Amino acid sequence: MATDPVCLKPINPHTARGGMIWFKGAPYYFCSEGCKDRFDVNPGWYAARGPVVPGAP
Ligand SMILES: [Zn+2]
């Protein structure tokens, strides 16, 4: 599982409804297009909140 960097929900990369974005060499998955849009506005801020790694709480 990955973690949606916007709402911090666990995301299954295979069923991520919001799709995926590469940012600074790492993939970010989103539960919805709304979350992806929010990430698009300020990706650095969301990415800086913490690493998005499989198994993270
Ligand atoms: Zn989300």
Side-chain angles (χ1 to χ4, degrees):
M1 297 287 269
T3 301
D4 184 318
V6 177
C7 66
L8 304 181
K9 280 195 274 191
I11 301 289
N12 183 334
H14 298 292
T15 58
R17 292 175 59 194
M20 183 267 268
I21 288 178
W22 285 96
F23 181 72
K24 293 193 173 178
Y28 292 87
Y29 297 91
F30 303 93
C31 70
S32 67
E33 289 193 10
C35 281
K36 190 169 128 185
D37 287 346
R38 286 167 65 186
F39 187 87
D40 269 338
V41 171
N42 199 346
W45 190 85
Y46 287 111
R49 294 205 300 187
V52 180
V53 296

